[in-house]
Amino acid sequence: MSWIKTIPYEEADQNLKKIYDRINGPNKKIDNVLQIHSLRPHSLTGHMTLYKSVLHNSNNTLPKWYLECIGVYVSHLNKCSYCIEHHYAGLKRLLNDDEKATTIFEAIKKDSFEGVLEKKYLTGLDYSKMLTKNPDLITEADVIILKDLGFSEGEVLEINQVAAYFNYANRTVLGLGVNTAGDVLGLSPNNS
């Protein structure tokens, strides 16, 4: 599962079990990306709070499928197969259109989206790529372009936070050797 020890549900102390009970999936299963934090439960709480806030909060106005698309794209740029597998499954579930999901995924793998997504969404992915690969080159002009294409300032923040979150998550996964063994792919929490 990873290169460091993790604590499964059955062996968790009362404090960790309480956190696990709030985030577990089917059969009390904890995704490996979350269980990797088990030696420091406070970082697990922080990770889950950040994840739910930027990707699954009911106050977000961008479509959830697009936020998942940003996550899959950033994960592809970082070569993080764990997050690609999990969030492509989520993207597919949210789109409820296997053909469209496959078309988007093929575009992500080729890093070429012409004719696949409208210009507005393409530009959001371009910003996400720059934030991932060259954040020091981003200027106010890049944000103005997003706003000129119709993103509200809050939506620009959503794009920024989802891309930043996935960079964090990808580095956690890649840096600790987390894999998908035993995970249930594509699940996501409620809109709370």
Side-chain angles (χ1 to χ4, degrees):
M1 188 207 102
S2 70
W3 300 328
I4 65 171
K5 175 186 172 183
T6 60
I7 302 169
Y9 184 88
E10 303 76 32
E11 297 173 22
D13 65 20
Q14 186 177 6
N15 179 47
L16 181 58
K17 201 169 270 192
K18 190 175 183 181
I19 296 168
Y20 278 173
D21 284 338
R22 290 195 320 254
I23 64 169
N24 63 26
N27 301 318
K28 297 195 182 291
K29 177 69 183 116
I30 310 300
D31 279 346
N32 297 340
V33 70
L34 299 173
Q35 194 170 327
I36 196 68
H37 293 279
S38 60
L39 297 175
R40 298 294 184 267
H42 58 278
S43 73
L44 169 55
T45 300
H47 185 143
M48 198 61 187
T49 299
L50 181 61
Y51 168 71
K52 288 179 78 170
S53 294
V54 302
L55 206 61
H56 296 288
N57 191 285
S58 60
N59 293 310
N60 288 342
T61 58
L62 288 174
K64 280 188 176 187
W65 71 264
Y66 181 62
L67 298 178
E68 289 281 10
C69 184
I70 293 169
V72 174
Y73 184 50
V74 168
S75 299
H76 168 73
L77 294 170
N78 286 322
K79 299 177 176 74
C80 182
S81 60
Y82 181 97
C83 291
I84 293 168
E85 289 179 47
H86 263 281
H87 292 278
Y88 174 61
L91 172 64
K92 225 172 140 175
R93 181 183 48 76
L94 289 166
L95 282 173
N96 198 26
D97 181 337
D98 287 354
E99 186 177 331
K100 184 174 182 177
T102 300
T103 301
I104 291 171
F105 190 55
E106 290 303 315
I108 287 171
K109 291 192 292 189
K110 293 176 189 169
D111 200 1
S112 177
F113 299 92
E114 284 303 315
V116 176
L117 296 174
E118 64 182 87
K119 183 176 181 175
K120 175 182 176 178
Y121 290 140
L122 288 173
T123 306
L125 291 179
D126 288 342
Y127 172 85
S128 298
K129 181 178 184 176
M130 191 179 300
L131 188 62
T132 299
K133 296 291 192 179
N134 302 102
D136 58 315
L137 299 180
I138 295 176
T139 67
E140 183 179 9
D142 297 301
V143 172
I144 290 169
I145 289 169
L146 293 171
K147 293 191 307 186
D148 287 348
L149 286 169
F151 287 113
S152 70
E153 290 188 353
E155 290 171 338
V156 171
L157 180 62
E158 286 179 39
I159 293 167
N160 173 277
Q161 291 297 284
V162 170
Y165 165 76
F166 275 94
N167 277 291
Y168 159 74
N170 294 165
R171 281 150 180 77
T172 299
V173 166
L174 293 169
L176 296 172
V178 179
N179 63 51
T180 58
D183 279 2
V184 178
L185 301 179
L187 296 180
S188 62
N190 296 328
N191 291 340
S192 61

